[in-house]
């Protein structure tokens, strides 16, 4: 113990030996530290407080209505922060505040968003001490604090305001008063949109009616689609026509060949008094009446058949007919040509029908041609009307949905009387800075300077170690020490030393005064301290 | 006391005469009857040994007597017989005990030149001269000891200068003069039991001089002839002058002064290494600011 005490004393003495070095370091560090502290700007904090029922706020977001999950204050604060501070929202905050000026590049924006996500603090302060609230709900309702620190207090205010807006937007449905208002508002909106929707519908219908030729599209076909369809139909008709004509030609050749090899026969099977032409006419007529049952006079098949009938009757009138039976010599065809003839008739009828069709399609195409310019405009207008209509319809649906949500949450909170969301404390422009903690830092700098100075003095004594005590000398040298002779200061030296000490003491006092001065300058109220020091003396005097 | 003072007065007169009469390496010896100096054991005489003064037939030779300005010394902070009551005188008392024990105990008889003490230090200004003189003064107050102070710091001669005896020829002159008589160089002082040999003319071959046979002979004579006498040599710093090492080789004890709070530890270690293992070294911490009482109960000396 004594040993340690001696050691301590020795080291103290060693440091004291370098007291000017130490004091110099202390003064320098203090000066630099305090000047640095002066240079640091004040930081202001803006805070807003909201009362928010955690359960009511988080349950719809993170689980079904029947979930029984509870969140720790940290968790809930984090969840709410995540919900609010999405990237878009932070960008919105930036755009709404002076921070916008600071963003120059997309990377800068990225950085700003990240730093804001860090710096905007959402904290759950405490479970509400409201007994009533506690008894009403299993989970106590909470107070959340939204805060932001900056050297620019206007900015801090605006940021918090902006975030508070986000808060209000997100959770306002939990406010009872606003629920009613929102419901009324939504009802009005829904009514307006219903009207809008009707009008849009009407406009669309009217437009379609106004452009009937253009907008045949019962099946929703556009102009170009229709032209294309017509053209392909035309092509198909032409192909069919060629086929039919080819077939007819082939049949005619076949019939001619058969007629050339006709042999006289007595007509057995033929209806007496009737020629082949007569039979054909009869068949065609029965077919015609058959067709007329299904088609109108305009049908190409009907028209074709009629024309054929007329032809045949003409032939018969010219006497080209051959009697069907009897007569002196009857040249019956080697083969019976009536089947082929029937096929020929049919082919010819088909060809005629195709011709009709082609003519019709061509006419239709021709009719469409002048519309080529107006149609795209009309169609664009139609598309616009359609879009308008869709948008209005979607908005309307959303409004209706929201109205339902509000009804639900209103139902959920119907048990309680208070709202589950309320802004308790609006952000205000701060007058007193929160940082830096100047009093504390002034002291810290002072203590650090003292430590540093002492350390430096000690280090100097260690860098070139000398002997301070007789024991030290004996221990280190390993040689017996016969004795120690104290310094015999002369009067002059004593005076000089005392003067030096006086100066040293004065510098130390000045430093202390500077410290107290800095403390006071940085807002420390010294009066109570003085009072506590002076008070005992007063008591003694009294 | 009155007897001594009277004697001193006479001595002073003769001293002045001597100096004025002759200037040179050999000072005409002034002869004083032994009785004239009173009962002082040393103050009486220096008898030159046969070997040192073979040419001189052995008449009783007495040395010159000088008066030191003790008041001036006192003013400079030195101890004098008058100021032995001061607390700091105790510090020297404590040092001289082991020193005398080493020099004169029965065990010391086996050690060569045990009564010759060289006071040295690592570097200049540590307080060798100061300590030498104070120690000499302290020992001079002993009842049955005499002390001879020799200034062997030829370079600075601080002791010689402090005592204002630069006029007198010194040790180097003695060693260089053929057939010199030491009695002519030794100065008795007004401090009973204290004699002094000045440094002498500055000589740059001091190491060689110290190493000479004559020096060897001189030292042996000093050690042998007066067994109750302690001889203190004030020397230059060990690390500054090689001559010091020659000298420390001739003495039985070395006192090394270490200036507190100033001299580097490694300089002290280095000096001790340079001195070697063959010399008996004792350390003195000088100019200390720590009170001795803190050092393990030695404080009972200083009241
Ligand atoms: N204990 C002491 N108290 C006060 N002053 C001292 C002490 N010791 C020495 N001094 C002073 O320190 C100075 C140097 O002392 P001194 O001349 O004895 O040292 P030194 O070792 O003989 O130096 P040098 O090597 O130059 O001969 C002197 O002025 C002397 O008075
Ligand atoms: Mg000296």
């Amino acid at each position: 113990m004594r040993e340690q005490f001696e050691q301590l004393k020795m080291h103290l003495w060693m440091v004291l030996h370098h007291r000017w070095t130490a004091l110099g370091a202390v003064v320098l560090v203090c000066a630099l530290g305090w000047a640095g502290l002066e240079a640091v700007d004040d930081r202001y904090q803006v805070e807003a407080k909201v009362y928010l029922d955690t359960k009511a706020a988080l349950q719809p977001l993170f689980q079904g209505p029947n979930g029984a999950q509870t969140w720790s204050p940290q968790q809930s604060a984090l969840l709410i922060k995540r919900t609010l501070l999405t990237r878009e929202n932070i960008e919105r905050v930036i755009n709404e505040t002076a921070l916008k000026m600071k963003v120059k590049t997309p990377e800068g924006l990225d950085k700003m968003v990240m730093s804001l996500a860090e710096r905007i603090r959402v904290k759950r302060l405490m479970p509400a001490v409201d007994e009533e609230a506690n008894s009403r709900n299993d989970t106590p309702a909470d107070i959340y604090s939204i805060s932001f620190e900056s050297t620019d207090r206007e900015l801090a205010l605006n940021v918090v305001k902006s975030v508070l807006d986000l808060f209000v937007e997100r959770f306002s449905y939990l406010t009872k008063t606003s629920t009613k208002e929102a419901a009324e508002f939504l009802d009005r909106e829904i009514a307006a949109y219903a009207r809008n929707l009707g009008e849009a519908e009407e406009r669309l219908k009217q437009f379609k009616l106004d452009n009937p030729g253009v907008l045949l599209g019962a099946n929703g076909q556009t102009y170009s689609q229709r032209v294309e369809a017509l053209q392909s139909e035309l092509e198909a008709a032409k192909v069919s026509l060629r086929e039919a004509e080819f077939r007819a030609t082939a049949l005619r050749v076949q019939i001619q060949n058969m007629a050339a090899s006709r042999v006289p026969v007595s007509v057995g099977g033929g209806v007496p008094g009737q020629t082949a032409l007569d039979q054909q006419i009869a068949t065609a007529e029965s077919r015609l009446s058959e067709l007329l049952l299904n088609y109108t006079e305009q049908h190409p098949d009907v028209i074709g058949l009629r024309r054929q009938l007329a032809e045949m009757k003409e032939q018969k009138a010219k006497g080209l007919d051959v009697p069907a039976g009897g007569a002196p010599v009857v040249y019956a065809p080697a083969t019976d040509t009536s089947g082929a003839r029937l096929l020929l008739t049919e082919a010819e009828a088909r060809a005629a029908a195709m011709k009709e069709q082609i003519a019709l399609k061509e006419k239709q195409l021709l009719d469409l041609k002048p519309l080529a310019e107006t149609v795209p405009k009309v169609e664009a207008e139609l598309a616009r009307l359609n879009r308008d209509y869709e948008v209005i319809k979607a908005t309307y649906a959303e409004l209706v949905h929201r109205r339902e949500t509000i009804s639900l949450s209103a139902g959920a909170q119907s048990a309680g009387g208070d709202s589950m969301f309320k802004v308790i404390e609006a952000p205000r422009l701060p007058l007193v800075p929160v940082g830096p903690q100047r009093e504390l830092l002034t002291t810290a700098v002072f203590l650090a300077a003292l430590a540093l100075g002492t350390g430096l003095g000690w280090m100097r004594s260690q860098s070139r170690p000398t002997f301070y005590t007789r024991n030290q000398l004996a221990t280190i040298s390993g040689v017996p020490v016969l004795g120690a002779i104290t310094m015999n200061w002369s009067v002059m030296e004593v005076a000089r030393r005392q003067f030096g000490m006086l100066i040293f003491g004065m510098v130390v006092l000045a430093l202390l005064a500077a410290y107290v001065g800095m403390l006071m300058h940085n807002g420390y109220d010294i009066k109570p301290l003085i009072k506590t020091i002076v008070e005992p003396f007063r008591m003694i005097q009294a | 006391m009155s007897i001594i003072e009277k004697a001193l007065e006479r001595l002073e007169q003769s001293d002045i005469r001597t100096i004025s009469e002759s200037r040179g390496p050999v000072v005409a010896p002034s002869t004083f009857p032994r009785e004239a100096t009173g009962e002082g054991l040393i103050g009486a005489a220096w008898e030159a040994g046969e070997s040192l003064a073979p040419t001189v037939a052995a008449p009783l030779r007495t040395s010159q007597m000088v008066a030191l300005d003790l008041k001036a010394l006192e003013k400079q902070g030195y101890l004098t017989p008058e100021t032995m009551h001061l607390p700091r005188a105790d510090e020297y008392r404590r040092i001289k005990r082991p020193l005398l024990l080493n020099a004169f105990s029965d065990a010391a008889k086996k050690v060569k030149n045990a009564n010759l003490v060289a006071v040295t230090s690592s570097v200049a200004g540590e307080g060798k001269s100061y300590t030498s003189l104070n120690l000499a003064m302290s020992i001079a107050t002993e009842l049955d000891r005499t002390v001879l102070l020799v200034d062997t710091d030829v370079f600075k001669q601080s002791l010689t200068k402090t005592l204002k005896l630069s006029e007198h020829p010194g040790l180097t002159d003695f060693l260089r003069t053929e057939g010199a008589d030491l009695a002519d160089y030794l100065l008795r002082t007004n401090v009973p039991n204290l004699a002094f040999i000045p440094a002498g003319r500055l000589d740059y071959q001091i190491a060689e001089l110290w190493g000479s046979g004559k020096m060897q002979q001189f030292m042996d004579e000093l050690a042998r002839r007066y067994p109750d006498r302690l001889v203190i040599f004030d020397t230059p710093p060990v690390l500054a002058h090689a001559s010091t090492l020659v000298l420390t080789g001739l003495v039985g004890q070395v006192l090394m002064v270490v200036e507190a709070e100033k001299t580097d530890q490694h300089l002290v270690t280095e000096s001790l290494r340079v001195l070697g293992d063959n010399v008996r070294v004792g350390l003195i911490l000088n100019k200390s600011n720590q009170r001795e009482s803190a050092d393990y109960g030695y404080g009972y000396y200083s009241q």
Side-chain angles (χ1 to χ4, degrees), chain A residues 485-490 493, chain B residues 76-78 91-92 120-121 123-132 134 153 156-158 234-237 257 259 286-288:
Chain A
I485 298 161
T486 50
M487 186 69 183
N488 176 27
W489 299 104
S490 73
E493 281 166 334
Chain B
Q76 289 170 56
Y78 291 98
E91 297 173 343
Y92 293 95
T120 189
S121 71
V123 289
E126 298 200 66
K128 296 176 293 291
S129 309
Y130 183 88
T131 307
S132 303
N134 281 345
D153 187 349
K156 285 209 174 138
Q157 311 205 355
S158 43
D234 179 28
T235 68
V257 178
E259 184 171 352
N286 191 27
K287 306 196 193 181
S288 163

Side-chain angles (χ1 to χ4, degrees), chain A residues 2-3 13 17 464-472 476-477 479-489, chain B residues 77 88 91-92 130 255 260-265 268 281-290 292 295-296:
Chain A
R2 173 156 194 154
E3 190 79 13
W13 189 258
H17 196 93
R464 211 180 55 81
T466 56
F467 294 101
Y468 281 81
T469 63
R470 176 186 164 155
N471 283 329
Q472 192 195 9
I476 290 170
S477 67
V479 169
V481 178
L482 299 187
I485 298 161
T486 50
M487 186 69 183
N488 176 27
W489 299 104
Chain B
R88 63 197 152 88
E91 297 173 343
Y92 293 95
Y130 183 88
L255 271 189
E261 302 177 21
K262 177 104 183 286
T263 311
D264 276 16
Q265 289 182 1
V268 175
V281 185
L283 297 176
I284 291 175
L285 185 68
N286 191 27
K287 306 196 193 181
S288 163
N289 281 301
Q290 313 285 310
E292 186 76 352
D295 283 4
Y296 296 91

Side-chain angles (χ1 to χ4, degrees), chain B residues 269-283:
Chain B
T269 335
E270 176 65 9
S271 304
L272 289 172
R273 194 186 61 76
V274 165
L275 282 174
D277 297 333
N278 293 332
V279 288
R280 169 185 280 193
V281 185
L283 297 176

